[in-house]
């Protein structure tokens, strides 16, 4: 109501990060705080998290928002972070079960071999399937009273690039295919470096193709059309490519319906 009073008539609603901020029973994804409840860790929650935990246990914020959008004639888009994972602190409130079970295997590596557990590697089909499931579960959700669905799904790749890094499995495959050790390619070797970036970005492009296809399929089943929009940095196609995002190909293939940019 306050947004509408201020003249803001389009809401982009948070769907979650590695966890989800709406209700779903799908075994592959995790509703925020469900691990906290299952393992009896409520006493470890920070005050703000405890308040939110009690609320989301009782209500599905997304379904309530969809009903409010229908009542107020306000479009509601859904915004999902595509590669942002959190530690076990704060009663595991910000964790997904998938991350807990797979971060050691799928957690990313930097170029120098350091671990980055805040990201999982999209080279693993299991991770792509988990993220696809999160998108489709959000799309399936509808308002309790209105039956309304999200109009647009926003895939947020600003949280956080690079989406693909230097996981050994990824690097070994590239070396087998090209004979080049990606860890030894310097950014100053522009042609070779961008060739590596373009190759690994193709993994994410294939994922977006799958999301587009499955969203279209679900839309036909529901009699509803879903738009798909990525959120990316505004630094230009080459930097996007380094971040794992071949935005030129996404546009050329008609995979997306628009772009949100972030400085």
């Amino acid at each position: 109501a306050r947004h509408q009073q201020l003249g803001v008539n389009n809401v982009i609603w948070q769907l979650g990060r590695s966890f989800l901020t709406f209700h779903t029973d799908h075994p592959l994804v995790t509703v925020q705080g469900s691990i906290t409840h299952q393992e009896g860790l409520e006493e470890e929650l920070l005050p703000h998290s405890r308040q939110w935990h009690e609320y989301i246990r009782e209500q599905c914020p997304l379904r309530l928002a969809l009903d409010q959008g229908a009542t107020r004639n306000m479009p509601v888009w859904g915004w999902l972070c595509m590669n942002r994972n959190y530690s076990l602190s704060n009663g595991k409130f910000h964790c997904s079960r998938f991350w807990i079970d797979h971060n050691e295997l799928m957690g990313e590596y930097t170029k120098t071999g350091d671990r980055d557990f805040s990201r999982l590697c999209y080279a693993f089909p299991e991770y792509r399937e988990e993220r696809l499931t999160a998108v489709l579960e959000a799309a399936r959700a509808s308002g309790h009273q209105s039956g309304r669905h999200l109009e647009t799904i926003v895939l947020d790749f600003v949280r956080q690039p690079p989406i693909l890094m230097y996981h050994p499995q990824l690097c070994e495959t590239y070396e087998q295919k090209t004979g080049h050790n990606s860890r030894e390619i310097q950014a100053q070797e522009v042609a070779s470096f961008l060739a590596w970036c373009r190759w690994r970005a193709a993994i994410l492009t294939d994922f977006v193709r799958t999301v587009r296809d499955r969203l279209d399929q679900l839309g036909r089943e529901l009699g509803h059309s879903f738009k798909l929009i990525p959120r990316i940095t505004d630094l230009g196609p080459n930097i996007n490519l380094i971040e794992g995002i071949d935005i030129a190909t996404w546009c050329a293939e008609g995979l997306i319906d628009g772009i949100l940019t972030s400085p």
Side-chain angles (χ1 to χ4, degrees):
R2 184 63 176 144
H3 276 78
Q4 197 165 44
Q5 289 169 5
L6 294 170
V8 178
N9 291 304
N10 187 24
V11 174
I12 303 180
W13 194 261
Q14 183 193 187
L15 300 173
R17 300 181 184 190
S18 60
F19 55 84
L20 301 180
T21 55
F22 60 90
H23 290 184
T24 169
D25 295 324
H26 198 291
L28 193 57
V29 290
T30 302
V31 178
Q32 187 176 26
S34 59
I35 298 174
T36 308
H37 178 70
Q38 291 162 6
E39 300 187 8
L41 302 175
E42 283 86 353
E43 291 302 313
E44 297 182 17
L45 291 175
L46 297 171
H48 172 75
S49 297
R50 183 176 295 111
Q51 185 179 28
W52 177 245
H53 177 60
E54 292 170 358
Y55 178 76
I56 199 172
R57 291 270 302 154
E58 299 296 327
Q59 303 284 354
C60 178
L62 174 59
R63 289 170 172 83
L64 295 175
L66 289 166
D67 279 341
Q68 283 295 310
T71 298
R72 301 175 184 282
N73 195 30
M74 294 172 70
V76 180
W77 297 7
W79 164 68
L80 180 67
C81 289
M82 297 310 295
N83 209 0
R84 187 66 180 91
N85 299 274
Y86 295 83
S87 69
L88 300 174
S89 62
N90 194 22
K92 300 182 181 179
F93 189 59
H94 294 101
C95 289
S96 70
R97 181 63 64 189
F98 187 91
W99 181 85
I100 290 173
D101 292 344
H102 297 94
N103 73 83
E104 192 62 46
L105 172 64
M106 300 182 190
E108 274 286 16
Y109 287 74
T110 67
K111 191 172 186 175
T112 56
D114 296 324
R115 297 305 304 269
D116 183 349
F117 293 111
S118 69
R119 302 171 177 86
L120 300 184
C121 182
Y122 268 85
F124 290 91
E126 297 89 346
Y127 184 47
R128 298 196 300 271
E129 183 65 23
E130 188 271 347
R131 291 287 82 190
L132 173 65
T133 300
V135 171
L136 294 177
E137 286 299 290
R140 286 192 181 94
S142 60
H144 292 300
Q145 306 300 324
S146 64
R148 186 170 179 171
H149 294 272
L150 290 166
E151 299 195 7
T152 298
I153 305 291
V154 176
L155 307 181
D156 187 356
F157 296 104
V158 178
R159 285 295 182 95
Q160 65 203 53
I163 302 301
L164 289 131
M165 298 176 70
Y166 286 85
H167 195 284
Q169 179 169 308
L170 194 66
C171 296
E172 288 163 14
T173 302
Y174 187 71
E175 188 165 7
Q176 290 169 4
K177 289 181 177 295
T178 67
H180 298 294
N181 183 340
S182 56
R183 299 182 192 88
E184 296 178 356
I185 301 172
Q186 300 301 310
Q188 295 89 335
E189 305 167 39
V190 176
S192 297
F193 185 62
L194 289 182
W196 150 246
C197 293
R198 188 172 291 105
W199 180 86
R200 71 179 178 181
I203 295 169
L204 196 62
T205 296
D206 192 57
F207 170 76
V208 175
R209 289 190 191 106
T210 302
V211 172
R212 173 83 274 173
D213 182 65
R214 294 291 298 278
L215 270 182
D216 289 347
Q217 178 183 329
L218 179 61
R220 288 191 294 270
E221 294 170 4
L222 298 173
H224 179 74
S225 177
F226 293 101
K227 290 184 172 64
L228 184 64
I229 293 180
R231 179 173 180 253
I232 62 174
T233 62
D234 67 355
L235 302 175
N238 279 354
I239 298 299
N240 293 147
L241 200 60
I242 293 168
E243 294 172 341
I245 297 159
D246 189 351
I247 192 64
T249 297
W250 297 6
C251 292
E253 293 188 13
L255 300 178
I256 56 177
D257 298 287
I259 302 172
L260 289 177
T261 59
S262 176

